[in-house]
Each structure stands twice: as C-alpha cells, then as structure tokens.
C-alpha cells in the first residue's frame, strides 16, 4: 500500500480559470504562464488543460519550450527571461519562440546572431521593480536598434510591476512605462494576475496570468479566490494514520510546542514537509478532516502532522484529510504559514503521487 497522500490536479478548473482571465481582458491575448513546472502542477498537465484554449504559453526554460513544441504546441511560446547564451538563439529561432530581451547583453547577442529566421521579441523595460529590464534611456536605445533589425520579427514592449497586488499599486510604474513607450506605436504587455483583476485598462495586447490560472488569489487579504470566481486546481489530500488521546499538559510533536489544556484527541496525518507542506505552518493552521474544518497542532514533521480531533469524535484511521484545495483555499493555509499560495504549489514534492481529474474541454 502506498502512503495515502495524493495531489489531484483538476484540468477543467485550470481551463475555467484561464477563461476567467480572458474575460477580464477581452481585447487582449493571454499568455498562460507555466513557468516552474506550471507552478508545481506539471507543465504537460497544464498544457493538456489549455492546449485548445490558450493564446500562448510563457515559461522560463528553453527545455520547457522544447517540451511543449514536442507535445504539439503550435501557439506562441514566450521565454520570460529570454535566452542566456548566444548558442541558445538558433534553437529559439528554429522553434519559433518569442523571447524577452531585458538587458543590453541580450541585445548584443541577438543583433550578432545568424539565424534561420527572425524571432519575436518582448523588449522589457525596468519601470521601477529593479529586477529585470532596461532603464528607460537604454530601453529606447535598444528599441531603435531592434526595430528594423533583420533578426527581429514582431516587437512587443513589456514591463513587470512590483506591487500590483499591494497598496502602492501599478500607477507609478505604469505611468513611466506609458510615457516612455507612448510614441512607439507598438503593442505592449504589462499585466500579471493582480493587474488583470485590478486594472482592466492595463490589459494591452497580451496579459500574463499566472497564479490565477491555478486558483490562487493574487491578493488574498482583499479577495478570496472563490470571491474572484477562481476554482482550485490542486487539491492535496491524505488520511488519518494514527490517533492519540492526550491528558491536560501532554504535548504533541517535535519540541512539544503544543500542550493540551484539557483531554483531547489528536489525529496524525500522512503529510509532512517532505511532501511540500510548509514546516513553518504554526498550530492553528486550517485543515479539513472528514470534510470538517479543524486545525493543525504542534510542529510539522518530515512525513506527518497532527490535527485536533476534539470536535470530530467520529474521525478514525482512514478518515480523509484535505490539506488544501477543494473545500479549503490554499491561500488560507499559506496565510497561516506566513507565505503565499505560489510557494505552496511550487513546493509540492515529487514523491507525492498526482492524479489528473476533470476534462480539459467542457
Ligand atoms: C511569473 C510572471 C507572471 C505571472 O505572475 P502572477 O502573479 O503569477 O500572475 C507575469 N509576468 C512575468 C514576467 C512573470 O515572471
């Protein structure tokens, strides 16, 4: 018997969420962002869900783009960090990939390359996040160089916002981007999930939804995924594999960080940090046992965690447990653990068996 832990990936929920992103940006095309193995959901699973619907897929690694072309993807594929070496470029051209160009070194590599055909470029401006991108002056100089260069097919202008989900919002960065690029008369792309949901006028030619595709709210403190109309894609579930009855003063787990203040029953769940559950989730993190909400107790171990069964006298060895997903938003667990749903999804461990549910087409 394998351990009872399992992740379900709901392809119809993924398709639903992609369509919701499209509905928020009706004039735009939408890159389905599938970097980081589709935020832990599996690149080819995400592709199976979206292959007939997605306008394009955006990823980081050339190998991911190769995998999608091999799987039969004919739509545009975008490398969000672009290429890393001159020797990447012939393959970029051969596979007809669109590439971000975010630094002067990439401009040099691209203009010097000898390519079988020109490549589509997303020229990236640093509008204030100070991660990737060319400063406005360097951006305009690069634009002038690339605009009519024989190695460049379509040109789209892009930037990325640091606080689209937060209090500062996008306006400072978006204003600078529009002021700098306004005269160019070229299509542009600036919107991640938070921007798509909050600032419809920033949709541009291409939006770039990531977390919302996987059913995570980009701003869970303001709106739950459910309130946004998003459906959970990943459900991490397991079972109770052991029970303990505690007397007042008895403690649970490593370090004994939780002590019972009354007689109580504790369930032990086959899920730990080696499965991707966050070790720093404190006592009180929500969990579903037999469909009912309760809380974790004490420290998360490598392979197990403990849950409070005080209000669940019917729970037994074998009672199903949902760690996050259907019935319990990953955002709630993430918030309790001081992180974001992105990190929970990406951390799903390879040892967790995955079952695909739902059909990709209604
Ligand atoms: C990851 C990423 C996105 C998607 O962001 P979400 O917050 O997950 O929607 C969009 N654009 C770029 C450049 C990214 O790296």
């Amino acid at each position: 018997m394998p351990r009872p832990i399992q992740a379900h990936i709901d392809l119809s929920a993924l398709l639903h969420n992609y369509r919701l992103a499209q509905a928020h940006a009706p004039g735009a095309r939408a890159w389905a962002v599938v970097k980081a193995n589709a935020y832990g959901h599996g690149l080819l699973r995400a592709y199976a869900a979206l292959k007939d619907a997605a306008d394009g897929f955006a990823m980081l690694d050339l190998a991911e783009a190769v995998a999608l072309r091999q799987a039969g993807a004919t739509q545009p594929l975008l490398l969000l960090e672009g290429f890393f070496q001159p020797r990447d470029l012939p393959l970029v051209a051969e596979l007809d990939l669109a590439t971000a160009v975010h630094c002067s070194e990439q401009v040099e590599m691209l203009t010097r390359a000898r390519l079988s055909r020109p490549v589509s470029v997303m020229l990236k401006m640093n509008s204030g996040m100070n991660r990737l991108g060319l400063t406005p002056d360097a951006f305009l100089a690069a634009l002038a160089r690339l605009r009519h260069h024989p190695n460049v097919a379509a040109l789209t202008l892009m930037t990325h916002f640091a606080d689209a989900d937060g209090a500062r919002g996008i306006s400072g960065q978006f204003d600078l981007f529009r002021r700098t690029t306004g005269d160019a008369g070229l299509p542009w792309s600036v919107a991640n999930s938070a921007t798509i949901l909050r600032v419809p006028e920033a949709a541009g030619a291409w939006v770039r939804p990531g977390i919302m595709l996987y059913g995570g709210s980009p701003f869970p403190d303001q709106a739950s995924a459910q309130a946004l109309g998003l459906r959970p894609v990943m459900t991490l579930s397991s079972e109770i594999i052991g029970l303990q009855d505690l007397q007042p003063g008895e403690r649970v787990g490593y370090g004994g960080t939780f002590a019972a203040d009354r007689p109580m029953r504790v369930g032990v769940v086959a899920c730990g940090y080696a499965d991707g559950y966050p070790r720093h989730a404190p006592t009180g993190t929500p969990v579903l046992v037999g469909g009912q909400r309760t809380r974790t107790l004490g420290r998360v171990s490598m392979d197990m965690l403990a849950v409070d069964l005080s209000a669940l006298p019917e729970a037994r060895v074998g009672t199903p447990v949902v760690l996050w997903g259907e019935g319990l938003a990953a955002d709630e667990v993430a918030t309790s653990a001081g992180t974001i749903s992105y990190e929970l999804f990406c951390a799903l461990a390879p040892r967790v068996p995955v079952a695909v549910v739902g059909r990709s087409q209604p």
Side-chain angles (χ1 to χ4, degrees):
M1 270 281 285
R3 293 170 74 228
I5 192 166
Q6 196 167 46
H8 287 89
I9 305 291
D10 184 342
L11 300 187
S12 54
L14 186 45
L15 180 62
H16 165 88
N17 295 339
Y18 179 81
R19 296 234 191 266
L20 191 79
Q22 282 182 315
H24 278 274
R29 291 194 279 173
W31 298 109
V33 178
V34 293
K35 64 190 179 188
N37 197 28
Y39 291 44
H41 293 69
L43 176 67
L44 293 177
R45 290 183 204 111
Y47 175 68
L50 300 177
K51 62 182 174 179
D52 298 324
D55 302 316
F57 293 92
M59 65 274 297
L60 294 187
D61 209 294
L62 203 46
E64 294 170 318
V66 170
L68 286 197
R69 284 284 183 251
Q70 279 172 352
T74 54
Q75 52 270 83
L77 303 181
L78 168 63
L79 299 173
L80 285 165
E81 293 180 350
F83 48 90
F84 301 97
Q85 315 248 345
R87 65 164 188 260
D88 299 337
L89 272 164
L91 190 55
V92 170
E94 198 181 305
L95 294 176
D96 195 18
L97 308 181
T99 174
V101 169
H102 62 75
C103 63
S104 51
E105 290 80 358
Q106 285 179 327
V107 174
E108 286 304 317
M109 288 187 250
L110 179 58
T111 50
R112 283 181 192 179
R114 301 186 59 176
L115 302 177
S116 55
R117 61 173 138 185
V119 298
S120 292
V121 167
M122 300 270 283
L123 187 63
K124 184 164 188 175
M125 183 178 139
N126 171 14
S127 57
M129 185 167 181
N130 293 311
R131 199 173 60 174
L132 295 183
L134 293 148
T135 55
D137 287 347
F139 177 88
L140 290 174
L143 179 57
R145 263 187 90 185
L146 295 181
R147 208 160 175 173
H148 303 291
H149 195 278
N151 283 348
V152 178
L155 247 176
T156 304
L157 310 181
M158 78 181 283
T159 194
H160 193 57
F161 299 130
D163 204 32
D165 53 322
R168 264 195 308 284
I170 72 164
S171 53
Q173 283 188 259
F174 191 40
D175 289 350
L176 178 60
F177 178 77
R178 295 303 284 151
R179 251 184 288 130
T180 308
T181 63
D183 296 337
L186 287 170
W188 44 270
S189 171
V190 299
N192 59 0
S193 298
T195 308
I196 292 166
L197 293 166
R198 275 177 133 190
V199 197
E201 62 274 21
W206 281 93
V207 293
R208 307 193 301 264
I211 193 65
M212 69 182 294
L213 300 181
Y214 308 101
S217 168
F219 30 72
D221 50 333
Q222 296 154 54
S224 69
Q226 192 176 13
L228 293 168
L230 298 168
R231 286 172 49 194
V233 178
M234 179 193 295
T235 296
L236 181 62
S237 61
S238 187
E239 292 178 3
I240 304 275
I241 61 165
L243 299 164
Q244 302 292 343
D245 286 297
L246 303 192
Q247 296 308 310
E250 289 192 312
R251 294 173 179 274
V252 177
Y254 286 117
T257 60
F258 175 81
D261 59 0
R262 56 199 148 82
M264 66 188 292
R265 211 150 73 101
V266 170
V268 177
V269 181
C271 176
Y273 62 79
D275 299 302
Y277 196 91
R279 183 179 174 278
H280 43 280
T283 290
T285 299
V287 57
L288 291 187
V289 176
Q292 294 200 57
R293 221 177 142 96
T294 181
R295 58 175 183 151
T296 65
L297 298 175
R299 270 193 205 147
V300 174
S301 301
M302 182 185 283
D303 311 305
M304 286 169 272
L305 56 80
V307 296
D308 185 350
L309 300 181
S310 305
L312 298 161
E314 68 286 5
R316 302 270 178 275
V317 167
T319 296
V321 174
V322 170
L323 287 315
W324 63 69
E326 204 61 63
L328 176 62
D331 290 314
E332 282 196 65
V333 178
T335 299
S336 176
T339 184
I340 53 178
S341 62
Y342 300 68
E343 192 181 13
L344 298 190
F345 297 150
C346 290
L348 182 74
R351 81 175 189 181
V352 177
V354 175
V356 170
V357 298
R359 285 186 300 137
S360 56
Q361 288 298 317

